[in-house]
Amino acid sequence: VNISTGEAGDRLTYAARVLEALTGQKPVLGRARYTVRQFGIRRNEAIAATVTVRGEKALDLVERGLRVKELELHYENFSDTGNFGFGIKEHIDLGVKYDPTTGIYGMDFYVVLKRPGA
């Protein structure tokens, strides 16, 4: 599960809190690879929060995410190896209570059905 804010600071902190409330795990912060002046992003600046979820918790989270998408995915959502990904526009659709200080964040789900090398 990934939330990319595109900037460091309060928005990223709030996004990390949303992921932590949703999954019960501490998120890992993703960093920018390049400096992009147009977006105001510097190299190695934290711009995203990511959590890897496994087991029953992952099944529950993916099911809630698919219910938001009304259990329908496009052909383009699937990779050649059988993995799939999709995004939702508002995290409050997953059943998280809305907090005005936090705001609303979209997030991406990517489901890998087989681990590498297995």
Side-chain angles (χ1 to χ4, degrees):
V1 182
N2 176 43
I3 297 179
S4 181
T5 60
E7 61 187 48
D10 288 344
R11 281 185 50 84
L12 183 60
T13 305
Y14 292 143
R17 282 190 202 154
V18 166
L19 277 180
E20 193 167 356
L22 193 63
T23 63
Q25 299 178 10
K26 186 175 183 240
V28 175
L29 299 181
R31 302 190 172 276
R33 293 181 188 171
Y34 309 108
T35 298
V36 181
R37 276 195 175 172
Q38 291 84 355
F39 299 134
I41 297 173
R42 293 190 198 109
R43 186 170 189 257
N44 288 330
E45 182 178 26
I47 58 170
T50 306
V51 174
T52 300
V53 186
R54 293 187 171 95
E56 289 296 322
K57 195 181 291 186
L59 290 174
D60 177 52
L61 193 60
V62 168
E63 185 176 333
R64 288 195 294 172
L66 286 173
R67 293 226 182 273
V68 172
K69 298 295 276 183
E70 297 178 355
L71 300 175
E72 292 184 10
L73 294 177
H74 296 287
Y75 176 77
E76 293 85 19
N77 291 107
F78 292 89
S79 70
D80 295 335
T81 57
N83 304 322
F84 65 94
F86 60 94
I88 60 171
K89 294 184 191 268
E90 298 180 353
H91 74 277
I92 57 174
D93 292 338
L94 295 172
V96 177
K97 187 164 171 41
Y98 174 68
D99 182 14
T101 58
T102 303
I104 294 178
Y105 293 95
M107 60 182 59
D108 300 320
F109 290 81
Y110 196 72
V111 180
V112 178
L113 299 174
K114 191 174 184 184
R115 64 182 172 85

